[in-house]
Amino acid sequence: MERLGASDARVLLNAAVRTPLDEGVRERILAEAGGNPLALLELPRNIRSPYWAGGFELPDALSVPRRLEESFRRRSASLPPQTQLLLLVAAPEPTGDVALLWRAAAHLGLAREATTPAEVAGLLEIDVRVRFRHPLVRSAVYQAATLPDRRRAHGALAEATDPQAGPDRRAWHRAQSVLGADEEVAEGLERSAERARACGGLAAAAAFLQRAAELSPEPGARARRALAGAHAKHESGAPEAALELLAVAAVGPLDPLPRARLELLRAQIGFHLTRDSDGPLRAAAHL
């Protein structure tokens, strides 16, 4: 199949993605797709659209066909351990920042030369940006990793991210690196959610608040953050995810006003889901 030029590839991706997409993530997808029209069309279908904004949760959101996942897993598993770890560090950071990768690698004691086997194997390219050679390699590498290794990679990325230049991405990686409840990290995510919402990033705000709720040690704070996250999920077009967060918030404790807001949002989501499911039937009735 003939590959598209840069401008045509961008037009096709814009048509395939109908939700807000962080420009840095857009550039990463275009680079990794390499003008392949099928890749540009299939990636949006296999990713839950609310998670495109900001690139948060991108590696874990892809639905990788088992055959491809096994193929990439075998190829990465044959690499030296240091190379495998470096691939994992690159996987959850979609901005492709080479300097960030080197700082995170240094934090883990990894030499830059550890990338060579991955480049020779055709899994990774590093020039002005870090780029996985196939759009699904990033997801396959991340999903194949153990949870402790994922936390280790996120921790290195958090340490390597400038808190002034990238406070929200640093907060996100830090949140993925902790085990168990952590109020300090949850508070940082809540601040990131406020900044994201102020800029219109509802999907990113929802991701921050969901993780903040998961990390909240105190039930009241967990319920409050889950309710706020449910509102953001609903507003960003993810009603099912919003209902899941409402179930968390409903455990409480909640004061009467937040409880009323919860019930109102639940009713609104139920109405929208019912209306959307009835849409095709109503349309057919007019044929």
Side-chain angles (χ1 to χ4, degrees), residues 205-226:
F208 288 134
L209 288 166
Q210 179 176 4
R211 184 58 176 158
E214 293 169 353
L215 295 178
S216 301
E218 197 274 316
R222 185 185 310 118
R224 174 176 57 79
R225 289 162 179 159

Side-chain angles (χ1 to χ4, degrees), residues 55-68:
F56 299 108
E57 298 189 39
L58 179 61
D60 212 19
L62 276 170
S63 176
V64 183
R66 181 173 296 275
R67 177 178 56 82
L68 284 176

Side-chain angles (χ1 to χ4, degrees), residues 83-102:
T83 302
Q84 293 183 46
L85 182 56
L86 198 146
L87 276 175
L88 179 57
V89 172
E93 181 45 66
T95 59
D97 187 332
V98 178
L100 175 62
L101 176 63
W102 295 146

Side-chain angles (χ1 to χ4, degrees), residues 22-233:
D22 181 90
E23 188 58 29
V25 178
R26 186 189 307 275
E27 293 301 323
R28 296 301 313 123
I29 294 169
L30 288 168
E32 290 179 11
N36 185 324
L38 288 179
L40 291 165
L41 289 172
E42 286 300 322
L43 276 170
R45 295 172 186 168
N46 288 322
I47 297 178
R48 293 173 292 172
S49 58
Y51 295 120
W52 282 85
F56 299 108
E57 298 189 39
L58 179 61
D60 212 19
L62 276 170
S63 176
V64 183
R66 181 173 296 275
R67 177 178 56 82
L68 284 176
E69 183 178 11
E70 281 300 310
S71 172
F72 292 134
R73 187 194 63 78
R74 286 194 300 269
R75 289 170 67 181
S76 62
S78 67
L79 299 173
Q82 286 199 331
T83 302
Q84 293 183 46
L85 182 56
L86 198 146
L87 276 175
L88 179 57
V89 172
E93 181 45 66
T95 59
D97 187 332
V98 178
L100 175 62
L101 176 63
W102 295 146
R103 291 196 301 271
H107 181 76
L108 294 173
L110 300 174
R112 296 187 180 188
E113 291 74 19
T115 61
T116 301
E119 293 177 287
V120 172
L123 296 175
L124 191 73
E125 285 183 351
I126 298 180
D127 38 53
V128 295
R129 285 185 175 179
V130 182
R131 181 173 67 185
F132 284 87
R133 292 289 298 275
H134 189 286
L136 296 178
V137 174
R138 181 193 302 275
S139 180
V141 166
Y142 192 82
Q143 291 187 25
T146 65
L147 291 177
D149 282 345
R150 289 188 193 182
R151 288 194 293 269
R152 189 180 176 195
H154 280 290
L157 287 165
E159 290 296 325
T161 301
D162 186 339
Q164 301 301 319
D168 300 330
R169 196 159 292 281
R170 185 176 189 273
W172 178 255
H173 285 306
R174 189 182 178 198
Q176 301 305 315
S177 71
V178 299
L179 180 62
D182 192 312
E183 178 60 23
E184 181 184 354
V185 175
E187 289 176 356
L189 286 171
E190 203 166 17
R191 290 190 293 271
S192 292
E194 292 172 359
R195 286 190 291 268
R197 181 179 281 277
C199 297
L202 291 174
F208 288 134
L209 288 166
Q210 179 176 4
R211 184 58 176 158
E214 293 169 353
L215 295 178
S216 301
E218 197 274 316
R222 185 185 310 118
R224 174 176 57 79
R225 289 162 179 159
L227 179 56
H231 276 284
K233 290 283 189 185

